[in-house]
Amino acid sequence: MGVFDTDGTDASGHEQVVFCQDRQTGLKAIIGIYSTALGPALGGTRFYPYASEAAALADVLKLSRGMAYKNALAGLDLGGGKAVIWGDPARAKSEGLLRAYGRFVESLAGRYYTACDVGTYVPDMDVIARETRYVTGRSVEHGGAGDSSVLTAWGVFQGMRAAAEHAWGAPTLAGRTVGIAGLGKVGKYLAGHLVEDGATVVATDVNEAALAWARNTHPQIRLVADTHELITSDIDVYAPCALGGALDDDTVPILRAKVVAGGANNQLAHPGIEKSLAERGILYTPDYVVNAGGVIQVADEIEGFNFERAKLRATGIFETTSRILRLADDEGVSPAVAADRLAEQRMAEVGRLRSIYLG
Amino acid sequence: MGVFDTDGTDASGHEQVVFCQDRQTGLKAIIGIYSTALGPALGGTRFYPYASEAAALADVLKLSRGMAYKNALAGLDLGGGKAVIWGDPARAKSEGLLRAYGRFVESLAGRYYTACDVGTYVPDMDVIARETRYVTGRSVEHGGAGDSSVLTAWGVFQGMRAAAEHAWGAPTLAGRTVGIAGLGKVGKYLAGHLVEDGATVVATDVNEAALAWARNTHPQIRLVADTHELITSDIDVYAPCALGGALDDDTVPILRAKVVAGGANNQLAHPGIEKSLAERGILYTPDYVVNAGGVIQVADEIEGFNFERAKLRATGIFETTSRILRLADDEGVSPAVAADRLAEQRMAEVGRLRSIYLG
């Protein structure tokens, strides 16, 4: 596969894709910048032992494009980018390699800001930051935003409220039953918001410690054995907060919820599954819209992190989700398609403004 | 093919390879940075209708690596880079496309300086320069170095003098017969230097205007029908100054010259042909060493062009060629191999110096 969009399908219409190599430290990285129409491209660095260079390239092209849409609908003045470091982080990660990578991030002079992703952590960002200014996801002691699942969960809750208003007329989960699959960090915070809002929460997790947390902190949460039991329970809302691919050809036909809103990435197992949801009358809030609180939180570091400002922005996910659901109704398309349209519209409209000269 | 050096053969051990795309103007460019050990990477931009993205990538990887070696032996504080714009310049070139390309050059913040190459010309560099500071090969009115074949020819003459000293004991072509294939700009200037030095010049060209120039300007030049007649003439030195691949399995066995030194790029048609030259006792001065006067000339623009300073540097090709020929003798390798070793040595030695902290 190549980088350029040669067949006009827009499959890889990326603005810039940067291969970076340092033979001494073994660094092999690819930085993908899908669009800078809204500002510098922000997205995390995934450190992963891909099977091939082509697999690494395919992943960074897909992920950076996704970040462009996510950042656009998060209302950020940030374009979409992502990076991959090709290698096994357990064996290859070193100060030298991370700093060599940092120098390449710096070489793009601010067109790309990095952050944590699979295989990279806050301490890694602090190392990378010794070579470049263009890093978020740093430790709190270095101006970092801290645990970004706090605002991820807050944003999911806002998106869910918007979906509730769209489905039932009032922006609240009070009196509704919400099923949370996955009581990791996002799921836990989300459960707290839902309990506080007056919802009945049903949850499942494979991790005994997470279940113990639920029993101790929120004894009113009803715990079920597994995801199958959860989605076939009498729930109004399904919140996938674990691995990707939660909505597939097996789960959608048996799902009893009327609304789906969760923190997991890539909830749709394959293209077309959003149609199956629509056919069953299930309101799906696009994952990348409702889980954008995390990127909103780390992006705030660029201005000097302020939790209340970031929370205000994440609260905006309520209004964004409402707009998407209305647009989907108006145009007779799925919310996923409506979200993409809104994102593209914002990139085009706001990006164009730079043609008004200001020096 | 990929970008990364995964099999350890060093076939593509490039530091950075940057794919750049602008869908509005149709720009598809690849900037290859082989090494910045000696400084920012300098190399021209080739605008060419490659058959595929893979062909464009292969070309930029090969050319940018070549520039690293060329710039290293030219004694420049410049690393090696090159860029390709994928498209037909006759149809695709526009102000918008060139300026979009210029913005991507600027985005590398000075790690890459561009210049003219096949398909791009001085006026194009002036357009690109409206978006980026990192351009050489500009028009004289904008501080450009002017026709770089002036110092290319001067450098070839210096390399030829060094080879003459190595072969016959005196650094002069006086009394020798030199055959020039190609009376383009470089060939013409070279002919002038040789006539002035007291050499007998034999030449050929397919262009009638070039032959007319020779008859009018240097009536003592003996013109022959074609390259075959030239290389089978009784010449001491063969100076290929036209297309690449002048030294191949057909020409080397019949070549009567004892020295080869010319301005053409890629004179060796394939790897191994340098051994055939050595077996026939022919002293080959590596093309990228002796034709580096051109890059020395345009690189001087970075400091603010000064012809005398650039000429002094190009005169250094005499000493560099001498060193290479001595090293080849000492180590029992071909001059091509000796040149590569010297280039790699300079990149390693000088590049390492940055470890001495200066702020």
Side-chain angles (χ1 to χ4, degrees), chain A residues 48-65:
Chain A
Y48 191 78
Y50 294 101
S52 66
E53 179 176 329
L57 175 60
D59 208 33
V60 77
L61 291 177
K62 184 188 74 173
L63 294 168
S64 57
R65 186 172 195 271

mmCIF file with all atom_site columns, all heavy atoms in Angstrom, chain A residues 48-65:
data_model
loop_
_atom_site.group_PDB
_atom_site.id
_atom_site.type_symbol
_atom_site.label_atom_id
_atom_site.label_alt_id
_atom_site.label_comp_id
_atom_site.label_asym_id
_atom_site.label_entity_id
_atom_site.label_seq_id
_atom_site.pdbx_PDB_ins_code
_atom_site.Cartn_x
_atom_site.Cartn_y
_atom_site.Cartn_z
_atom_site.occupancy
_atom_site.B_iso_or_equiv
_atom_site.pdbx_formal_charge
_atom_site.auth_seq_id
_atom_site.auth_comp_id
_atom_site.auth_asym_id
_atom_site.auth_atom_id
_atom_site.pdbx_PDB_model_num
ATOM 1   N N   . TYR A 1 48 ? 4.262   -0.329 19.145 1.00 0.00 ? 48 TYR A N   1
ATOM 2   C CA  . TYR A 1 48 ? 3.644   -1.625 18.922 1.00 0.00 ? 48 TYR A CA  1
ATOM 3   C C   . TYR A 1 48 ? 4.499   -2.472 17.965 1.00 0.00 ? 48 TYR A C   1
ATOM 4   O O   . TYR A 1 48 ? 5.021   -1.954 16.979 1.00 0.00 ? 48 TYR A O   1
ATOM 5   C CB  . TYR A 1 48 ? 2.241   -1.423 18.339 1.00 0.00 ? 48 TYR A CB  1
ATOM 6   C CG  . TYR A 1 48 ? 1.402   -2.666 18.303 1.00 0.00 ? 48 TYR A CG  1
ATOM 7   C CD1 . TYR A 1 48 ? 0.786   -3.144 19.455 1.00 0.00 ? 48 TYR A CD1 1
ATOM 8   C CD2 . TYR A 1 48 ? 1.267   -3.388 17.128 1.00 0.00 ? 48 TYR A CD2 1
ATOM 9   C CE1 . TYR A 1 48 ? 0.036   -4.309 19.429 1.00 0.00 ? 48 TYR A CE1 1
ATOM 10  C CE2 . TYR A 1 48 ? 0.518   -4.557 17.090 1.00 0.00 ? 48 TYR A CE2 1
ATOM 11  C CZ  . TYR A 1 48 ? -0.095  -5.007 18.244 1.00 0.00 ? 48 TYR A CZ  1
ATOM 12  O OH  . TYR A 1 48 ? -0.829  -6.165 18.223 1.00 0.00 ? 48 TYR A OH  1
ATOM 13  N N   . PRO A 1 49 ? 4.599   -3.779 18.218 1.00 0.00 ? 49 PRO A N   1
ATOM 14  C CA  . PRO A 1 49 ? 5.417   -4.648 17.349 1.00 0.00 ? 49 PRO A CA  1
ATOM 15  C C   . PRO A 1 49 ? 4.653   -5.101 16.110 1.00 0.00 ? 49 PRO A C   1
ATOM 16  O O   . PRO A 1 49 ? 4.266   -6.271 15.997 1.00 0.00 ? 49 PRO A O   1
ATOM 17  C CB  . PRO A 1 49 ? 5.754   -5.830 18.266 1.00 0.00 ? 49 PRO A CB  1
ATOM 18  C CG  . PRO A 1 49 ? 4.615   -5.909 19.216 1.00 0.00 ? 49 PRO A CG  1
ATOM 19  C CD  . PRO A 1 49 ? 4.131   -4.495 19.428 1.00 0.00 ? 49 PRO A CD  1
ATOM 20  N N   . TYR A 1 50 ? 4.437   -4.187 15.192 1.00 0.00 ? 50 TYR A N   1
ATOM 21  C CA  . TYR A 1 50 ? 3.709   -4.524 13.967 1.00 0.00 ? 50 TYR A CA  1
ATOM 22  C C   . TYR A 1 50 ? 4.418   -5.647 13.211 1.00 0.00 ? 50 TYR A C   1
ATOM 23  O O   . TYR A 1 50 ? 5.641   -5.793 13.278 1.00 0.00 ? 50 TYR A O   1
ATOM 24  C CB  . TYR A 1 50 ? 3.603   -3.290 13.066 1.00 0.00 ? 50 TYR A CB  1
ATOM 25  C CG  . TYR A 1 50 ? 2.755   -2.198 13.656 1.00 0.00 ? 50 TYR A CG  1
ATOM 26  C CD1 . TYR A 1 50 ? 3.338   -1.100 14.269 1.00 0.00 ? 50 TYR A CD1 1
ATOM 27  C CD2 . TYR A 1 50 ? 1.365   -2.272 13.627 1.00 0.00 ? 50 TYR A CD2 1
ATOM 28  C CE1 . TYR A 1 50 ? 2.568   -0.098 14.834 1.00 0.00 ? 50 TYR A CE1 1
ATOM 29  C CE2 . TYR A 1 50 ? 0.589   -1.276 14.187 1.00 0.00 ? 50 TYR A CE2 1
ATOM 30  C CZ  . TYR A 1 50 ? 1.189   -0.199 14.786 1.00 0.00 ? 50 TYR A CZ  1
ATOM 31  O OH  . TYR A 1 50 ? 0.422   0.792  15.344 1.00 0.00 ? 50 TYR A OH  1
ATOM 32  N N   . ALA A 1 51 ? 3.632   -6.400 12.451 1.00 0.00 ? 51 ALA A N   1
ATOM 33  C CA  . ALA A 1 51 ? 4.203   -7.515 11.689 1.00 0.00 ? 51 ALA A CA  1
ATOM 34  C C   . ALA A 1 51 ? 5.060   -7.019 10.532 1.00 0.00 ? 51 ALA A C   1
ATOM 35  O O   . ALA A 1 51 ? 5.963   -7.717 10.077 1.00 0.00 ? 51 ALA A O   1
ATOM 36  C CB  . ALA A 1 51 ? 3.078   -8.409 11.161 1.00 0.00 ? 51 ALA A CB  1
ATOM 37  N N   . SER A 1 52 ? 4.769   -5.812 10.049 1.00 0.00 ? 52 SER A N   1
ATOM 38  C CA  . SER A 1 52 ? 5.494   -5.305 8.881  1.00 0.00 ? 52 SER A CA  1
ATOM 39  C C   . SER A 1 52 ? 5.409   -3.791 8.852  1.00 0.00 ? 52 SER A C   1
ATOM 40  O O   . SER A 1 52 ? 4.582   -3.182 9.538  1.00 0.00 ? 52 SER A O   1
ATOM 41  C CB  . SER A 1 52 ? 4.879   -5.858 7.588  1.00 0.00 ? 52 SER A CB  1
ATOM 42  O OG  . SER A 1 52 ? 3.559   -5.343 7.431  1.00 0.00 ? 52 SER A OG  1
ATOM 43  N N   . GLU A 1 53 ? 6.271   -3.200 8.027  1.00 0.00 ? 53 GLU A N   1
ATOM 44  C CA  . GLU A 1 53 ? 6.204   -1.756 7.814  1.00 0.00 ? 53 GLU A CA  1
ATOM 45  C C   . GLU A 1 53 ? 4.847   -1.365 7.235  1.00 0.00 ? 53 GLU A C   1
ATOM 46  O O   . GLU A 1 53 ? 4.265   -0.340 7.619  1.00 0.00 ? 53 GLU A O   1
ATOM 47  C CB  . GLU A 1 53 ? 7.334   -1.329 6.868  1.00 0.00 ? 53 GLU A CB  1
ATOM 48  C CG  . GLU A 1 53 ? 7.337   0.149  6.554  1.00 0.00 ? 53 GLU A CG  1
ATOM 49  C CD  . GLU A 1 53 ? 8.538   0.568  5.691  1.00 0.00 ? 53 GLU A CD  1
ATOM 50  O OE1 . GLU A 1 53 ? 9.607   -0.045 5.792  1.00 0.00 ? 53 GLU A OE1 1
ATOM 51  O OE2 . GLU A 1 53 ? 8.377   1.528  4.918  1.00 0.00 ? 53 GLU A OE2 1
ATOM 52  N N   . ALA A 1 54 ? 4.330   -2.195 6.335  1.00 0.00 ? 54 ALA A N   1
ATOM 53  C CA  . ALA A 1 54 ? 3.033   -1.887 5.725  1.00 0.00 ? 54 ALA A CA  1
ATOM 54  C C   . ALA A 1 54 ? 1.923   -1.862 6.782  1.00 0.00 ? 54 ALA A C   1
ATOM 55  O O   . ALA A 1 54 ? 1.021   -1.019 6.727  1.00 0.00 ? 54 ALA A O   1
ATOM 56  C CB  . ALA A 1 54 ? 2.710   -2.911 4.636  1.00 0.00 ? 54 ALA A CB  1
ATOM 57  N N   . ALA A 1 55 ? 1.993   -2.770 7.746  1.00 0.00 ? 55 ALA A N   1
ATOM 58  C CA  . ALA A 1 55 ? 0.982   -2.798 8.807  1.00 0.00 ? 55 ALA A CA  1
ATOM 59  C C   . ALA A 1 55 ? 1.087   -1.557 9.685  1.00 0.00 ? 55 ALA A C   1
ATOM 60  O O   . ALA A 1 55 ? 0.072   -0.977 10.091 1.00 0.00 ? 55 ALA A O   1
ATOM 61  C CB  . ALA A 1 55 ? 1.142   -4.065 9.650  1.00 0.00 ? 55 ALA A CB  1
ATOM 62  N N   . ALA A 1 56 ? 2.319   -1.141 9.970  1.00 0.00 ? 56 ALA A N   1
ATOM 63  C CA  . ALA A 1 56 ? 2.510   0.075  10.775 1.00 0.00 ? 56 ALA A CA  1
ATOM 64  C C   . ALA A 1 56 ? 1.970   1.289  10.034 1.00 0.00 ? 56 ALA A C   1
ATOM 65  O O   . ALA A 1 56 ? 1.284   2.140  10.616 1.00 0.00 ? 56 ALA A O   1
ATOM 66  C CB  . ALA A 1 56 ? 3.998   0.261  11.086 1.00 0.00 ? 56 ALA A CB  1
ATOM 67  N N   . LEU A 1 57 ? 2.257   1.359  8.739  1.00 0.00 ? 57 LEU A N   1
ATOM 68  C CA  . LEU A 1 57 ? 1.778   2.483  7.930  1.00 0.00 ? 57 LEU A CA  1
ATOM 69  C C   . LEU A 1 57 ? 0.252   2.501  7.882  1.00 0.00 ? 57 LEU A C   1
ATOM 70  O O   . LEU A 1 57 ? -0.375  3.549  8.063  1.00 0.00 ? 57 LEU A O   1
ATOM 71  C CB  . LEU A 1 57 ? 2.360   2.392  6.512  1.00 0.00 ? 57 LEU A CB  1
ATOM 72  C CG  . LEU A 1 57 ? 1.858   3.430  5.513  1.00 0.00 ? 57 LEU A CG  1
ATOM 73  C CD1 . LEU A 1 57 ? 2.174   4.847  5.971  1.00 0.00 ? 57 LEU A CD1 1
ATOM 74  C CD2 . LEU A 1 57 ? 2.467   3.176  4.125  1.00 0.00 ? 57 LEU A CD2 1
ATOM 75  N N   . ALA A 1 58 ? -0.350  1.333  7.647  1.00 0.00 ? 58 ALA A N   1
ATOM 76  C CA  . ALA A 1 58 ? -1.812  1.271  7.566  1.00 0.00 ? 58 ALA A CA  1
ATOM 77  C C   . ALA A 1 58 ? -2.434  1.767  8.872  1.00 0.00 ? 58 ALA A C   1
ATOM 78  O O   . ALA A 1 58 ? -3.428  2.504  8.864  1.00 0.00 ? 58 ALA A O   1
ATOM 79  C CB  . ALA A 1 58 ? -2.258  -0.164 7.266  1.00 0.00 ? 58 ALA A CB  1
ATOM 80  N N   . ASP A 1 59 ? -1.846  1.374  9.991  1.00 0.00 ? 59 ASP A N   1
ATOM 81  C CA  . ASP A 1 59 ? -2.401  1.771  11.283 1.00 0.00 ? 59 ASP A CA  1
ATOM 82  C C   . ASP A 1 59 ? -2.280  3.281  11.492 1.00 0.00 ? 59 ASP A C   1
ATOM 83  O O   . ASP A 1 59 ? -3.248  3.933  11.907 1.00 0.00 ? 59 ASP A O   1
ATOM 84  C CB  . ASP A 1 59 ? -1.690  1.020  12.407 1.00 0.00 ? 59 ASP A CB  1
ATOM 85  C CG  . ASP A 1 59 ? -2.576  0.837  13.638 1.00 0.00 ? 59 ASP A CG  1
ATOM 86  O OD1 . ASP A 1 59 ? -3.806  0.694  13.464 1.00 0.00 ? 59 ASP A OD1 1
ATOM 87  O OD2 . ASP A 1 59 ? -2.054  0.822  14.765 1.00 0.00 ? 59 ASP A OD2 1
ATOM 88  N N   . VAL A 1 60 ? -1.145  3.844  11.176 1.00 0.00 ? 60 VAL A N   1
ATOM 89  C CA  . VAL A 1 60 ? -0.968  5.276  11.431 1.00 0.00 ? 60 VAL A CA  1
ATOM 90  C C   . VAL A 1 60 ? -1.834  6.105  10.483 1.00 0.00 ? 60 VAL A C   1
ATOM 91  O O   . VAL A 1 60 ? -2.342  7.162  10.871 1.00 0.00 ? 60 VAL A O   1
ATOM 92  C CB  . VAL A 1 60 ? 0.521   5.692  11.373 1.00 0.00 ? 60 VAL A CB  1
ATOM 93  C CG1 . VAL A 1 60 ? 1.030   5.812  9.946  1.00 0.00 ? 60 VAL A CG1 1
ATOM 94  C CG2 . VAL A 1 60 ? 0.748   6.999  12.136 1.00 0.00 ? 60 VAL A CG2 1
ATOM 95  N N   . LEU A 1 61 ? -2.057  5.610  9.271  1.00 0.00 ? 61 LEU A N   1
ATOM 96  C CA  . LEU A 1 61 ? -2.936  6.334  8.345  1.00 0.00 ? 61 LEU A CA  1
ATOM 97  C C   . LEU A 1 61 ? -4.370  6.337  8.879  1.00 0.00 ? 61 LEU A C   1
ATOM 98  O O   . LEU A 1 61 ? -5.046  7.368  8.904  1.00 0.00 ? 61 LEU A O   1
ATOM 99  C CB  . LEU A 1 61 ? -2.893  5.698  6.953  1.00 0.00 ? 61 LEU A CB  1
ATOM 100 C CG  . LEU A 1 61 ? -1.583  5.847  6.164  1.00 0.00 ? 61 LEU A CG  1
ATOM 101 C CD1 . LEU A 1 61 ? -1.668  5.086  4.833  1.00 0.00 ? 61 LEU A CD1 1
ATOM 102 C CD2 . LEU A 1 61 ? -1.245  7.317  5.904  1.00 0.00 ? 61 LEU A CD2 1
ATOM 103 N N   . LYS A 1 62 ? -4.815  5.181  9.361  1.00 0.00 ? 62 LYS A N   1
ATOM 104 C CA  . LYS A 1 62 ? -6.183  5.064  9.878  1.00 0.00 ? 62 LYS A CA  1
ATOM 105 C C   . LYS A 1 62 ? -6.351  5.899  11.152 1.00 0.00 ? 62 LYS A C   1
ATOM 106 O O   . LYS A 1 62 ? -7.310  6.663  11.292 1.00 0.00 ? 62 LYS A O   1
ATOM 107 C CB  . LYS A 1 62 ? -6.484  3.582  10.159 1.00 0.00 ? 62 LYS A CB  1
ATOM 108 C CG  . LYS A 1 62 ? -7.906  3.311  10.617 1.00 0.00 ? 62 LYS A CG  1
ATOM 109 C CD  . LYS A 1 62 ? -8.074  1.866  11.073 1.00 0.00 ? 62 LYS A CD  1
ATOM 110 C CE  . LYS A 1 62 ? -7.408  1.660  12.411 1.00 0.00 ? 62 LYS A CE  1
ATOM 111 N NZ  . LYS A 1 62 ? -7.646  0.344  13.026 1.00 0.00 ? 62 LYS A NZ  1
ATOM 112 N N   . LEU A 1 63 ? -5.411  5.769  12.060 1.00 0.00 ? 63 LEU A N   1
ATOM 113 C CA  . LEU A 1 63 ? -5.543  6.441  13.358 1.00 0.00 ? 63 LEU A CA  1
ATOM 114 C C   . LEU A 1 63 ? -5.436  7.963  13.228 1.00 0.00 ? 63 LEU A C   1
ATOM 115 O O   . LEU A 1 63 ? -6.149  8.697  13.913 1.00 0.00 ? 63 LEU A O   1
ATOM 116 C CB  . LEU A 1 63 ? -4.470  5.925  14.321 1.00 0.00 ? 63 LEU A CB  1
ATOM 117 C CG  . LEU A 1 63 ? -4.585  4.444  14.729 1.00 0.00 ? 63 LEU A CG  1
ATOM 118 C CD1 . LEU A 1 63 ? -3.316  3.992  15.442 1.00 0.00 ? 63 LEU A CD1 1
ATOM 119 C CD2 . LEU A 1 63 ? -5.811  4.223  15.615 1.00 0.00 ? 63 LEU A CD2 1
ATOM 120 N N   . SER A 1 64 ? -4.553  8.434  12.352 1.00 0.00 ? 64 SER A N   1
ATOM 121 C CA  . SER A 1 64 ? -4.382  9.886  12.232 1.00 0.00 ? 64 SER A CA  1
ATOM 122 C C   . SER A 1 64 ? -5.619  10.519 11.583 1.00 0.00 ? 64 SER A C   1
ATOM 123 O O   . SER A 1 64 ? -6.020  11.627 11.938 1.00 0.00 ? 64 SER A O   1
ATOM 124 C CB  . SER A 1 64 ? -3.110  10.219 11.446 1.00 0.00 ? 64 SER A CB  1
ATOM 125 O OG  . SER A 1 64 ? -3.109  9.625  10.169 1.00 0.00 ? 64 SER A OG  1
ATOM 126 N N   . ARG A 1 65 ? -6.202  9.804  10.646 1.00 0.00 ? 65 ARG A N   1
ATOM 127 C CA  . ARG A 1 65 ? -7.445  10.301 10.046 1.00 0.00 ? 65 ARG A CA  1
ATOM 128 C C   . ARG A 1 65 ? -8.546  10.371 11.106 1.00 0.00 ? 65 ARG A C   1
ATOM 129 O O   . ARG A 1 65 ? -9.283  11.360 11.193 1.00 0.00 ? 65 ARG A O   1
ATOM 130 C CB  . ARG A 1 65 ? -7.859  9.372  8.901  1.00 0.00 ? 65 ARG A CB  1
ATOM 131 C CG  . ARG A 1 65 ? -9.055  9.851  8.111  1.00 0.00 ? 65 ARG A CG  1
ATOM 132 C CD  . ARG A 1 65 ? -9.260  8.953  6.880  1.00 0.00 ? 65 ARG A CD  1
ATOM 133 N NE  . ARG A 1 65 ? -10.166 9.564  5.921  1.00 0.00 ? 65 ARG A NE  1
ATOM 134 C CZ  . ARG A 1 65 ? -11.488 9.411  5.946  1.00 0.00 ? 65 ARG A CZ  1
ATOM 135 N NH1 . ARG A 1 65 ? -12.046 8.670  6.875  1.00 0.00 ? 65 ARG A NH1 1
ATOM 136 N NH2 . ARG A 1 65 ? -12.248 10.009 5.051  1.00 0.00 ? 65 ARG A NH2 1
#
